[in-house]
Amino acid sequence: MTETTTSDLTTIISHALDLTTRLDRQSVLQTFVDSSVELTGAKYGALAVLGSSGETLEFVYTGMPHHLAERIGNPPAGHGVFGDLPNDTYLIVNDLEHYINRYPWPKHHPHMTSFLGVPMRIHSRVYGRLYLADKEDGFQDSDGRNMELLSQAAAIAVENSRLYAESNSRAMWIAASRAITTALLEGTDEEEALELIAREMRRVARADISLIVLPSIGNSWACEFAEGEGAQRLIGLDFPPGGRAQTVIREGTGLIVDSMTRQSHLLVPELAEFGAALYAPMLSKGKPLGVIVLLRQINGPEFDLADLSMAENVARQAALALELASARQTQTLAEQLEDRAQISRDLHDLAIQQLFASGMELSAVRGDLATEDAVPDTVLDRLDTAIDSIDSSVTQIRQIIYSLRDPSATVPLVTRLRHEITLAHTSLGFTPTLKISNLGEIITSGAHTEIDDELGSDIADDVAAVVRECLSNTARHANATEAHVEVRIENQRVEVRVTDDGQGVNPELSRRSGLSNLAARARRHHGTFSIRPGAHSTGTRVEWMAFVD
């Protein structure tokens, strides 16, 4: 047994101080491995950084050429001497060839004769394992004790680097939250705002993919926005009631998952191709608006509690800002409608009345002049032209007034829907089917104005607009041969479903087309909107729902 000398201790302290002055985590890990090799005289050194389940997340090494390490492939998986390393002390094996639990070397791995393994602990948890190999004359207990001392310094340095990175990350999260809130309060459209939220949260969380899951039809939720490479294919995914997304929104707290690929029961199987995940609920005054899901690729670093805390804070800020933006848009719309109503009243009460009076006066003058023999016919013709011009102006102003007042709003909703079906024949080349049910009763004929009383004019206008926009998009994008429209009113809500057998609508296109307005209409009535493939993955199915106040 060799004792640690004063000179050795001084050298260890010098290396430890060098470690603790570093704030970059990767630099700390590499310096720790390099110093360990230098202090012990080992030929090879490596540090395996472990995940929460004991798997190797990172492998930092020295002494082995990079091309050879690539040929060896995966780092040690806990077999043989690596698996025998205890969690509370070092392990020395100076005769690997005859070690009782010897495990075959991987292909291309260099032959090694001696081994020293030391656990690196942070807050009583094994953060990583230091592996040293091939010291001339073998390792001694003093090497093990010295490496335990150095690993303690490395643990402090890693923790310092984590706190430093966490501080920088917090600053980035705060900046992202400020950017999101500012954009919303400056009048950014909700659609663009949600895209900004997905983009910013993916960036500051260093995630590979970010999803925003919003309420869909019935009890299901669906991915409406996705950011990251290849993320568009995830738009439209259903997140069922028993899944993590809805659990997060029900409980009002986020969660982190070490690896989605290791989860045995995934209700959304498409997520099995990812590693670490983070779920953050978007809540405003207890009201669920959505869930933000951050995903990293397999073997990527896990999210920690600091990430979760910051993501939850930003998600709450984003939800509040969305609520304020929605309220502002509603107020702006109301002001616009009031302005239009005021303009129509002024046109009717002032302009039309004055023109009408002028026309009557000119007609009277023309009648008086027509009895006079000395009045040339050209004068009478010019008066007739002026009177006709006034009549034409009155007609045009009336049309403007009708346009401002939206005369179709006074027509019963059932009649308006049938009219939309008729109009769609021209652009589609065929007549879609229409099915309307109210409280379980199928509507076959008649105006059924009681439906307008049940829904109110605001929702009735939106239902008509939804059907019009869906059929318009079917005509423009789907290349369908048939389409079906179903409107169902019951349980204080109205549901609209439009399906076709066409080629489907590109998800990215649909988010930027007129369909984005339908999502805003649904949210205005605390409802849902989704677009996805139809039955048997063919065609398109659009579902829209609104709650009746």
Side-chain angles (χ1 to χ4, degrees):
M1 180 181 296
T2 304
E3 297 295 331
T4 301
T5 66
T6 303
S7 175
D8 290 339
L9 189 59
T10 301
T11 304
I12 292 171
I13 292 174
S14 175
H15 282 274
L17 290 174
D18 179 43
L19 278 173
T20 54
T21 59
R22 298 175 182 271
L23 292 176
D24 178 70
R25 175 179 167 279
Q26 201 61 36
S27 175
V28 169
L29 299 181
Q30 188 64 60
T31 301
F32 175 44
V33 176
D34 294 341
S35 297
S36 299
V37 167
E38 180 183 341
L39 288 170
T40 59
K43 183 177 180 180
Y44 303 105
L47 176 68
V49 179
L50 307 180
S52 58
S53 300
E55 77 283 9
T56 300
L57 294 181
E58 294 180 72
F59 196 68
V60 183
Y61 61 89
T62 189
M64 185 178 296
H66 183 64
H67 71 275
L68 180 58
E70 285 188 336
R71 295 181 67 185
I72 295 173
N74 296 328
H79 302 299
V81 69
F82 301 110
D84 293 341
L85 178 61
N87 292 331
D88 54 355
T89 188
Y90 59 86
L91 172 67
I92 294 176
V93 179
N94 283 325
D95 187 6
L96 285 175
E97 186 66 29
H98 297 93
Y99 183 61
I100 189 171
N101 289 331
R102 183 180 181 277
Y103 201 81
W105 297 111
K107 188 178 181 180
H108 307 299
H109 198 287
H111 181 76
M112 296 180 177
T113 59
S114 57
F115 171 85
L116 168 61
V118 181
M120 176 182 175
R121 303 175 66 86
I122 298 180
H123 299 311
S124 301
R125 170 181 170 264
V126 177
Y127 175 82
R129 292 192 176 108
L130 174 67
Y131 306 135
L132 300 173
D134 275 16
K135 177 183 179 180
E136 189 175 350
D137 299 329
F139 293 99
Q140 306 296 323
D141 285 330
S142 59
D143 294 319
R145 290 191 296 270
N146 291 342
M147 291 306 97
E148 284 182 329
L149 289 174
L150 191 63
S151 70
Q152 292 175 19
I156 294 173
V158 167
E159 184 67 4
N160 288 341
S161 69
R162 183 190 67 79
L163 294 174
Y164 178 72
E166 186 177 305
S167 175
N168 288 337
S169 177
R170 183 179 293 108
M172 293 176 63
W173 278 106
I174 292 173
S177 178
R178 185 182 302 115
I180 292 168
T181 303
T182 300
L184 282 167
L185 296 182
E186 285 181 348
T188 301
D189 178 78
E190 279 189 62
E191 197 88 358
E192 295 178 0
L194 288 166
E195 291 176 351
L196 174 65
I197 291 170
R199 183 169 61 252
E200 285 296 297
M201 293 196 71
R202 184 184 74 85
R203 180 181 64 83
V204 298
R206 300 178 302 282
D208 296 297
I209 299 286
S210 65
L211 311 176
I212 295 185
V213 181
L214 300 176
S216 184
I217 299 299
N219 293 326
S220 67
W221 290 49
C223 173
E224 294 282 355
F225 296 86
E227 171 70 18
E229 185 176 354
Q232 292 300 313
R233 59 190 170 81
L234 301 177
I235 289 179
L237 281 182
D238 281 326
F239 287 75
R244 290 179 176 83
Q246 291 209 45
T247 300
V248 161
I249 205 67
R250 281 195 303 270
E251 297 180 355
T253 56
L255 63 84
I256 51 179
V257 180
D258 58 352
S259 178
M260 301 298 286
T261 192
R262 289 200 300 268
Q263 304 306 305
S264 56
H265 300 290
L266 271 181
L267 298 184
V268 185
E270 290 82 358
L271 300 184
E273 62 185 81
F274 295 99
L278 184 152
Y279 292 74
M282 296 175 64
L283 297 170
S284 177
K285 299 178 181 179
K287 173 186 173 183
L289 299 182
V291 179
I292 297 171
V293 183
L294 302 174
L295 301 165
R296 287 175 177 163
Q297 298 294 348
I298 297 175
N299 297 327
E302 298 175 10
F303 293 102
D304 56 29
L305 293 178
D307 293 324
L308 178 61
S309 176
M310 295 306 300
E312 286 180 318
N313 288 336
V314 174
R316 282 193 294 267
Q317 286 288 103
L320 179 59
L322 277 174
E323 284 280 271
L324 292 174
S326 178
R328 186 186 62 250
Q329 290 177 357
T330 300
Q331 181 181 0
T332 300
L333 178 60
E335 291 173 352
Q336 291 175 348
L337 292 175
E338 177 59 31
D339 289 342
R340 293 171 67 176
Q342 182 62 49
I343 292 171
S344 67
R345 286 194 298 268
D346 290 344
L347 286 173
H348 181 272
D349 297 341
L350 301 177
I352 285 185
Q353 296 298 331
Q354 186 172 350
L355 284 172
F356 186 75
S358 298
M360 293 290 290
E361 186 174 351
L362 284 176
S363 295
V365 171
R366 198 266 184 205
D368 293 339
L369 292 176
T371 62
E372 301 290 336
D373 294 335
V375 177
D377 291 340
T378 55
V379 172
L380 297 177
D381 291 341
R382 293 177 65 181
L383 284 173
D384 287 336
T385 301
I387 293 170
D388 290 341
S389 296
I390 289 177
D391 290 340
S392 177
S393 297
V394 169
T395 300
Q396 291 176 1
I397 293 175
R398 288 189 188 278
Q399 291 175 345
I400 294 173
I401 292 174
Y402 292 151
S403 175
L404 289 171
R405 289 180 174 176
D406 187 10
S408 65
T410 62
V411 177
L413 175 60
V414 172
T415 303
R416 294 163 67 183
L417 292 175
R418 290 172 180 151
H419 182 61
E420 294 296 341
I421 296 297
T422 302
L423 291 178
H425 177 87
T426 302
S427 56
L428 290 170
F430 60 87
T431 301
T433 65
L434 174 63
K435 178 182 178 181
I436 305 173
S437 64
N438 182 31
L439 303 177
E441 177 188 356
I442 303 299
I443 306 301
T444 56
S445 62
H448 287 268
T449 55
E450 73 277 4
I451 291 179
D452 298 85
D453 296 333
E454 294 170 14
L455 299 181
S457 59
D458 193 19
I459 294 183
D461 289 346
D462 280 341
V463 170
V466 166
V467 172
R468 182 187 314 122
E469 187 62 50
C470 289
L471 292 176
S472 175
N473 274 278
T474 299
R476 291 199 304 269
H477 305 299
N479 193 25
T481 60
E482 62 179 55
H484 308 277
V485 177
E486 181 180 355
V487 178
R488 184 172 60 184
I489 304 104
E490 62 180 352
N491 298 327
Q492 291 299 107
R493 68 183 187 183
V494 56
E495 298 178 5
V496 178
R497 176 178 297 174
V498 180
T499 58
D500 64 62
D501 64 346
Q503 61 188 10
V505 180
N506 182 281
E508 184 174 2
L509 175 63
S510 69
R511 298 309 312 172
R512 298 182 179 276
S513 71
L515 291 180
S516 62
N517 296 328
L518 306 189
R521 290 181 187 272
R523 286 194 291 272
R524 192 159 61 92
H525 301 296
H526 311 296
T528 60
F529 165 73
S530 67
I531 176 172
R532 65 196 70 189
H536 310 296
S537 299
T538 60
T540 303
R541 181 178 65 182
V542 176
E543 294 178 328
W544 185 95
M545 186 270 288
F547 286 101
V548 181
D549 295 332

